Amino acid sequence: MGMAVILTAAVLLSGCGRREPTLLRKTDTAMGTIVSQSIYVTRSGSHPESPTEAVMDAIRSLEEETLSWRLETSEIYRLNSHEETELSPELSEILQTCLKVSEKSGGAFDVTIGALARLWNMDTWAADSENVQLPGEEQVLRALPLCGYGKLLEENPSWQDAASAKLSLPAGMQLDLGAVGKGAALDEIAGLLAEREEVTGAVISVGGSILTYGEKPDRSSFKVAIVNPADTSGNIGYLELQGQWCISTSGDYERFVEVDGKRYHHILDPHTGFPSESGVSSVTILSEDGLLSDALSTACFVLGAEEGMALAQNFGAEALFVDNGGNISMTEGMEQYFHLY
Ligand code: AMP
Ligand code: MG
């Protein structure tokens, strides 16, 4: 009891007297992945809800109301049910950005691959890897014509330019925003933190996507580790960053299954309908924008290092690739941030 009182007094003194920020930590799950938060706060906050709770709420509502293909409550679910859907400005903006990345990547990135994604069923691989049934070539070839962002644009000719929020999917098409949900969440979280004057810095990861925000109390850099795809218990190096950034990694180690001695990962080449074989094991994108970082990481994984780097730079982002042989390559702009172990 006496000890607790002393500790509380010490925290209060450091909080109020010198305004030294305190660290809030929280690990939880949302969007089918782990969310881990470190948020530095001073004690001047006026919100009744803690920032870590607010972050979880924001991720969950983005999933439930907007992005999930599973939950009947979401806009994507309604679109996929082929009801003509009045899009929220938020989803409109997300889809517009996705289509831009599709166009500039020559279709390597494509959120209209839902029919293929359901066929491969990668979301269930982790839970039941013993009994995975992979699709045959014929099934894949039948699903391919149901996919393609070009077909979505043909069905909605004026959607891209007009302010119209109405969108309808061609017959059989399904949207899958699995490649961008975590990055989109980071943008929302960054906005939320900016509205909270008590937050002085934060590092928040939603699966393979990470937001750095503000600064640490001692002003030292944020260090974001890059996993070794060949041995995920270790890292190949880290990015050293100051201020606000989004970092997204797509890797063949994140979700995969082995069937008859062959390894299949979760990122599809929309042109073949099969897991991409570009020689990439992982790609990390650094961008000021969360949605872009996540879309580009998936796009670059499919494109491979050479074309991927050009694509990233086209969007003002930096990229770092690890190939199947463990070789690292990166855009010139990435070199100032990356440190090899
Ligand atoms: P990420 O881990 O961010 O690269 O996202 C992978 C997820 O995006 C997969 O689990 C699928 O749901 C979806 N996806 C797979 N391949 C593609 C692709 N070529 N374009 C867009 N989304 C994809
Ligand atoms: Mg991605």
Side-chain angles (χ1 to χ4, degrees), residues 109 178-180 209 248-250 291 293-299:
F109 173 84
V180 292
S209 292
S248 286
T249 297
S250 289
L291 177 62
S293 72
D294 205 359
L296 289 172
S297 72
T298 308

Side-chain angles (χ1 to χ4, degrees), residues 278-329:
S278 57
V280 176
S281 258
S282 84
V283 50
T284 298
I285 300 290
L286 176 68
S287 167
E288 286 165 13
D289 186 279
L291 177 62
L292 260 185
S293 72
D294 205 359
L296 289 172
S297 72
T298 308
C300 289
F301 189 97
V302 175
L303 282 179
E306 198 175 320
E307 284 181 68
M309 282 195 228
L311 178 75
Q313 285 173 320
N314 201 316
F315 281 95
E318 305 300 340
L320 182 146
F321 290 79
V322 183
D323 74 12
N324 294 340
N327 303 300
I328 299 170
S329 56

Side-chain angles (χ1 to χ4, degrees), residues 42-53:
T42 58
R43 297 195 167 258
S44 54
S46 53
H47 293 79
E49 194 187 28
S50 82
T52 53
E53 285 305 325

